[in-house]
Amino acid sequence: MSYAKRSRQEMAQRLAADIHDGAYVNLGIGLPTLVADHLPKDREIFLHSENGILGMGPAPAPGDIDTDLLNAGKQPVTLLPGGAFFHHADSFAMIRGGHLDICVLGAFQVSASGDIANWSTGEPDAIPAVGGAMDLAVGAKNIWVMMEHLTRKGESKIVARCTYPLTGVGVVKRVYTDLAVIDITANGLVAYDLVPGLGLDELQGVTGLPLNAAFSA
Amino acid sequence: MIDKIQGSLAAALAGVQDGSTVMVGGFGDAGLPNELVDALIVQGARDLVVVNNNAGQGESGVAALLASGHVRKIICSFPRNVDSQVFDELYRSGKLELELVPQGTLVERIRAAGAGIGAFYTPTAFGTELAKGKETRRINGRDYVLEHPLYADYALIKAEAADRWGNLVYRKTARNFGPVMATAAKCAIAQVHRTVALGELDPEAIVTPGIFVARVVKVPRVPAAAIAAGRQ
């Protein structure tokens, strides 16, 4: 059967629809930042940035850039009315202390037991850089990963065991891919919202791991 | 009369010894005390250990300090950037030691030093390469890694305004590491855009009380266009 993968914008839209009214949310660098453009207009959602912002707004108009107002990706942003600034120790207390409802991270791999690898390819000559990824991975109440289902070579990024260096152990609760949404549960992987035309058997085939259907979805 | 406001960047940096550990505030360009960093290169202290979230961008600021050859080691969370070429080359050629620390652990180690904490357990990095060789402990069913405080001889930070007692207020996300680093250094040096009379800063809004600040130096604000040009 033929099917179309979700575009990056469609993935962001699908994920954003699951963020509840009043949620405190951190969007990781890369793919997850797209989610900010799709937050449901009828909900108030607080975006957190590691470098010290709650209530982060969209990018400013070109003439309104303030070099003292950056996001964690070091891009210029704005502050919403009611937003706040704070120092790094407070910011990571919010993260590590479990005060964020949702953190969305990109990843190289996610394991069936919720391990995440997203900070290093492990190549010997790579410049290592971790930033706040390991703090976010252990800290937020819900770690959601947003990533393409397959590598460019067609290998599943959802794996039995991560082969890349780990960022966090057993922390990921849900993965949004360009093929489906997959919950990582104590009873295994539960797949739902598959793209139209894609069957569970075929998804299981490309993933290479047992997938359960969600009956309530 | 107590007046922590120095007449020049050189006076603000007087006495920095070879081998010092120097914290440098800032995240990206926001809050980076570039003028103090430039003056530290001129001051000439060598064999420095630098603590900053990043490892310099472009050719100025922390990148220029690294390029000067005055730095033995950098402790940071995210050295890699599209324009971190100075760090990349020094690191790859083995001329600069790197201690990579998760960002939240980095700032908490700094906080611990300033707050008199002997060590602490954090869940961050448990089970990863960055926790290798470190003591771990299971507390109430959760796994933690033991981390130690990070002290400094000097902290170079950037704030918006100060009075002569060293009370500081910051501007937007330029606050980032500044207030925490100020607590962890034997001598915290703040560059500010404005100096004001005692009593002008709202006591309810002072972020860093002067007890944490040894020296203040006033530096003119650089227009955004000039910052952008300097990065190219």
Side-chain angles (χ1 to χ4, degrees), chain B residues 19-204:
Chain B
S20 295
T21 295
V22 181
M23 291 178 175
V24 180
F27 182 95
D29 278 337
L32 258 178
N34 276 314
E35 288 79 0
L36 275 172
V37 173
D38 288 345
L40 181 62
I41 299 170
V42 175
Q43 194 270 352
R46 307 183 70 88
D47 196 31
L48 301 174
V49 176
V50 168
V51 182
N52 179 239
N53 186 62
N54 304 103
Q57 293 176 261
E59 307 286 340
S60 62
V62 174
L65 178 61
L66 298 182
S68 74
H70 295 185
V71 180
R72 173 173 66 82
K73 174 180 176 179
I74 187 155
I75 304 174
C76 69
S77 87
F78 208 88
R80 188 179 65 223
N81 266 303
V82 285
D83 54 354
S84 61
Q85 61 271 12
V86 171
F87 168 83
D88 297 359
E89 193 188 321
L90 288 168
Y91 175 72
R92 287 206 166 106
S93 62
K95 289 177 186 153
L96 182 65
E97 190 184 335
L98 168 69
E99 181 177 340
L100 189 74
V101 183
Q103 202 171 324
T105 300
L106 179 66
V107 73
E108 193 63 14
R109 288 178 62 191
I110 298 168
R111 200 195 71 81
I117 302 297
F120 61 94
Y121 284 101
T122 177
T124 301
F126 181 85
T128 76
E129 282 181 10
L130 297 188
K132 260 185 196 158
K134 291 183 177 171
E135 188 177 328
T136 61
R137 184 164 172 180
R138 176 161 283 205
I139 304 169
N140 291 329
R142 196 166 189 206
D143 293 312
Y144 294 85
V145 179
L146 185 68
E147 290 286 353
H148 290 87
L150 194 48
Y151 304 93
D153 299 297
Y154 295 89
L156 312 186
I157 64 174
K158 179 177 170 179
E160 175 63 18
D163 59 28
R164 66 177 173 84
W165 284 3
N167 293 307
L168 302 179
V169 295
Y170 298 82
R171 187 167 181 277
K172 303 187 180 183
T173 60
R175 182 182 308 194
N176 59 67
F177 284 86
V180 192
M181 287 180 169
T183 69
K186 288 178 199 153
C187 177
I189 306 165
Q191 67 170 65
V192 300
H193 292 308
R194 290 186 293 125
T195 51
V196 301
L198 286 185
E200 270 191 50
L201 296 176
D202 177 357
E204 300 286 358

Side-chain angles (χ1 to χ4, degrees), chain A residues 55-81:
Chain A
M56 181 170 61
D64 295 331
I65 288 173
D66 184 334
T67 53
D68 282 341
L69 183 41
L70 308 179
N71 66 11
K74 305 182 179 82
Q75 302 301 312
V77 291
T78 51
L79 187 74
L80 299 178

Side-chain angles (χ1 to χ4, degrees), chain A residues 29-92:
Chain A
I29 295 171
L31 206 50
T33 56
L34 297 178
V35 173
D37 299 331
H38 297 280
L39 296 174
K41 299 275 183 278
D42 59 342
R43 300 175 204 169
E44 280 198 316
I45 290 163
F46 304 95
L47 292 184
H48 170 269
S49 184
E50 292 96 301
N51 56 323
I53 313 175
L54 265 180
M56 181 170 61
D64 295 331
I65 288 173
D66 184 334
T67 53
D68 282 341
L69 183 41
L70 308 179
N71 66 11
K74 305 182 179 82
Q75 302 301 312
V77 291
T78 51
L79 187 74
L80 299 178
F85 300 119
F86 35 85
H87 63 61
H88 248 73
D90 280 352
S91 185
F92 280 83

